[in-house]
């Protein structure tokens, strides 16, 4: 998976002219638990780079980063909310 999101994986497979059937099967084989764990770790690591920004800016930067890695909004937002909330609690 190379820590890419579903959207980037899908576009990469289409770019290589893989059949729709094979793409569908490959997408079904993605382990949800591992996929979400990787996304959470990526966002958590990226948040450390933004320690001087306010929460609104952190949230926007994390969204842009996750979108660029090929993750969908509905996949990333629960993680981003959780990470930002945890960061707020730690910095109080």
């Amino acid at each position: 998976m190379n820590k890419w999101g579903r959207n980037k994986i899908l576009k990469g497979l289409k770019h290589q002219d893989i059949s729709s059937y094979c793409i569908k099967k490959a997408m079904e084989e993605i382990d949800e638990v591992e996929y979400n764990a990787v996304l959470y770790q990526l966002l958590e690591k990226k948040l450390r780079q933004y320690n001087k920004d306010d929460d609104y800016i952190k949230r926007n930067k994390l969204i842009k980063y996750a979108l660029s890695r090929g993750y969908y909004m509905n996949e990333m937002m629960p993680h981003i909310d959780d990470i930002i909330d945890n960061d707020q609690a730690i910095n109080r």
Side-chain angles (χ1 to χ4, degrees):
M1 201 168 68
N2 221 13
K3 299 183 181 180
W4 294 113
R6 283 189 175 92
N7 192 30
K8 199 131 193 172
I9 294 169
L10 181 68
K11 287 182 180 184
L13 293 174
K14 284 183 179 179
H15 181 71
Q16 294 180 359
D17 293 327
I18 307 294
S19 72
S20 296
Y21 175 78
C22 290
I23 291 173
K24 182 180 176 188
K25 287 296 182 185
M27 299 304 279
E28 289 173 357
E29 288 184 17
I30 295 174
D31 181 359
E32 279 301 311
V33 174
E34 182 181 351
Y35 183 80
N36 283 311
V38 167
L39 173 57
Y40 192 87
Q41 289 170 354
L42 282 172
L43 293 171
E44 210 172 32
K45 183 177 178 183
K46 195 68 172 173
L47 180 68
R48 292 185 210 124
Q49 296 176 4
Y50 309 136
N51 59 356
K52 295 181 182 176
D53 297 328
D54 69 18
D55 291 340
Y56 179 77
I57 293 172
K58 286 179 187 178
R59 187 178 309 275
N60 285 333
K61 287 182 177 182
L62 288 175
I63 289 169
K64 286 179 185 178
Y65 173 71
L67 286 172
S68 74
R69 300 284 300 179
Y71 291 94
Y72 293 112
M73 287 293 285
N74 64 334
E75 296 171 339
M76 74 176 86
M77 287 312 296
H79 296 303
I80 290 175
D81 292 338
D82 187 40
I83 289 169
I84 295 289
D85 290 344
N86 288 342
D87 187 55
Q88 286 175 346
I90 291 169
N91 291 330
R92 285 187 186 155

